[in-house]
Amino acid sequence: GAVVSQHPSWVICKSGTSVKIECRSLDFQATTMFWYRQFPKQSLMLMATSNEGSKATYEQGVEKDKFLINHASLTLSTLTVTSAHPEDSSFYICSARRGGLTDTQYFGPGTRLTVL
Amino acid sequence: GENVEQHPSTLSVQEGDSAVIKCTYSDSASNYFPWYKQELGKGPQLIIDIRSNVGEKKDQRIAVTLNKTAKHFSLHITETQPEDSAVYFCAAKGSNFGNEKLTFGTGTRLTIIP
């Protein structure tokens, strides 16, 4: 299957700082990328959908000014958690979908964010 | 919007036996149904998927069946092995423009007992 990478795999930061997470599709071009958040023992919660070159579409209840998403190229999307607080601590997972008619969506390995 | 229910939430199976996880969906327009396996601390891994024009798909020990009339689909794992222990998520995706996101089930924690 296709490979999606995330960096960093884990990050610890102080409250009030910003953290950037990168998501790359390594062997295919992803016209659409997704960002999810997952709490312990829970399902995946979609935060936003981003298409290359256009603004991200955020799910209801997700603050777009807090979670900045940039999908600058067909292989790279970034999520920046601005002014992070302890309640933002979570497992963030990106996903990428190939272009065309395919539905297949591949996930990255996730980033564990801990805000102190 | 789409709603996906998944059962059971936990499942323990003796090694070598079969495991079955079931999901139901609400939107009859959904046409794509993937299954993901998630190990602790890792991202979900696609293990098998099925589209609405097919009733069954098999890949070695894993199979998925789809009943469009009843709006449910199931994951079948045969000859289970310890490495099958993980959390499994089903998902459904709509076919309508603007409704192209996956809706996930709540997950099933599968434990294979050696």
Side-chain angles (χ1 to χ4, degrees):
Chain A
V3 179
V4 177
S5 70
Q6 266 182 258
H7 179 80
S9 57
W10 60 270
V11 57
I12 302 173
C13 69
K14 292 183 178 180
S15 184
T17 60
S18 295
V19 174
K20 179 184 284 188
I21 303 170
E22 288 188 353
C23 176
R24 293 181 185 273
S25 55
L26 297 184
D27 54 357
F28 67 98
Q29 293 186 328
T31 55
T32 306
M33 286 188 169
F34 307 85
W35 285 95
Y36 293 83
R37 185 174 180 176
Q38 187 177 36
F39 292 103
K41 298 186 178 181
Q42 292 191 20
S43 189
L44 294 88
M45 183 189 79
L46 180 65
M47 299 174 66
T49 302
S50 73
N51 292 295
E52 186 263 340
S54 61
K55 290 184 178 181
T57 302
Y58 290 81
E59 294 298 302
Q60 192 172 7
V62 178
E63 299 176 59
K64 63 179 180 181
D65 294 330
K66 181 168 188 60
F67 299 99
L68 301 178
I69 293 172
N70 185 294
H71 191 164
S73 75
L74 287 173
T75 59
L76 174 64
S77 177
T78 60
L79 168 67
T80 301
V81 183
T82 63
S83 186
H85 288 92
E87 56 266 31
D88 298 323
S89 298
S90 190
F91 193 51
Y92 292 88
I93 315 172
C94 73
S95 180
R97 190 166 70 199
R98 297 176 188 265
L101 300 178
T102 182
D103 300 299
T104 310
Q105 200 170 311
Y106 301 95
F107 283 83
T111 297
R112 172 77 54 196
L113 170 64
T114 302
V115 184
L116 302 177
Chain B
E2 175 67 278
N3 182 50
V4 177
E5 294 189 358
Q6 185 171 346
H7 298 280
S9 56
T10 61
L11 178 61
S12 293
V13 174
Q14 204 72 37
E15 182 179 355
D17 289 349
S18 296
V20 180
I21 302 171
K22 299 180 179 180
C23 288
T24 60
Y25 60 98
S26 60
D27 187 353
S28 57
S30 290
N31 64 351
Y32 175 65
F33 309 92
W35 284 89
Y36 290 90
K37 174 184 180 182
Q38 187 177 28
E39 298 177 340
L40 189 64
K42 298 183 179 180
Q45 176 190 5
L46 178 69
I47 56 172
I48 196 167
D49 56 10
I50 192 168
R51 288 171 173 77
S52 58
N53 59 345
V54 176
E56 183 174 359
K57 184 177 179 180
K58 188 174 182 179
D59 182 4
Q60 298 182 15
R61 298 186 297 109
I62 295 173
V64 55
T65 59
L66 171 65
N67 184 326
K68 288 173 55 181
T69 302
K71 290 188 285 187
H72 67 69
F73 56 112
S74 300
L75 177 71
H76 304 253
I77 305 174
T78 59
E79 301 173 19
T80 54
Q81 301 169 3
E83 52 265 36
D84 294 329
S85 295
V87 178
Y88 291 80
F89 291 98
C90 64
K93 188 179 84 69
S95 58
N96 301 323
F97 179 78
N99 182 27
E100 300 170 340
K101 60 184 181 182
L102 289 175
T103 300
F104 284 88
T106 49
T108 297
R109 182 171 299 277
L110 175 63
T111 302
I112 306 302
I113 305 167

